Amino acid sequence: MRKSDNESTLILPIKKKWYDMISSGEKEEEYREIKPYWTSRFMKKLGLSKSETEWFHKLLARGGKTKDIEVLFRNGYSKKNPQFFAKVSLSIGYGNPEWGAEPGKNYYRLHIKEVKK
């Protein structure tokens, strides 16, 4: 049986420092640049079409959050590296510099709600 597009695994490689902080519950958000690459991947995972891009950005820019999605955080790029699933929601906004964000820069903010080890 083939998975539907919004059921496919969204893999987010991250550095060991951030991996450990998220895994321990210390880091509550992860960030991705607002670029077409991430927009299309998040929208696909949410089951949204390309024609809904403007609506998607307006929702998030007004402080809205998406429904929860599941992503796979991986320490680096190798399939052999440690990894875990997490339930997250998305918004757009400034990130925390202590968690890797550049001050004054907007990001896709992944709000980590649950880590599944």
Side-chain angles (χ1 to χ4, degrees), residues 18-73:
W18 308 132
Y19 180 90
D20 291 343
M21 288 175 72
I22 292 170
S23 183
S24 73
E26 181 181 350
K27 185 177 183 202
E28 300 171 355
E29 294 178 344
E30 176 58 9
Y31 309 110
R32 290 295 183 263
E33 290 191 45
I34 301 172
K35 292 189 171 189
Y37 175 80
W38 288 112
T39 300
S40 66
R41 295 196 68 205
F42 291 137
M43 287 184 61
K44 182 177 179 180
K45 184 66 179 172
L46 288 160
L48 300 173
S49 68
K50 195 171 186 170
S51 66
E52 295 172 293
T53 303
E54 185 176 341
W55 170 86
F56 176 68
H57 277 132
K58 283 182 181 178
L59 166 74
L60 297 181
R62 288 192 311 257
K65 288 185 183 177
T66 65
K67 66 181 181 180
D68 292 348
I69 58 173
E70 187 174 79
V71 298
L72 179 67
F73 285 101

Side-chain angles (χ1 to χ4, degrees), residues 81-115:
N81 288 358
Q83 57 191 21
F84 59 80
F85 284 96
K87 184 169 39 168
V88 305
S89 64
L90 292 169
S91 70
I92 289 179
Y94 298 117
N96 182 342
E98 292 179 15
W99 292 342
E102 292 178 30
K105 183 175 179 179
N106 273 323
Y107 291 93
Y108 283 121
R109 296 168 56 198
L110 288 84
H111 305 274
I112 299 158
K113 298 186 172 192
E114 180 183 352
V115 173

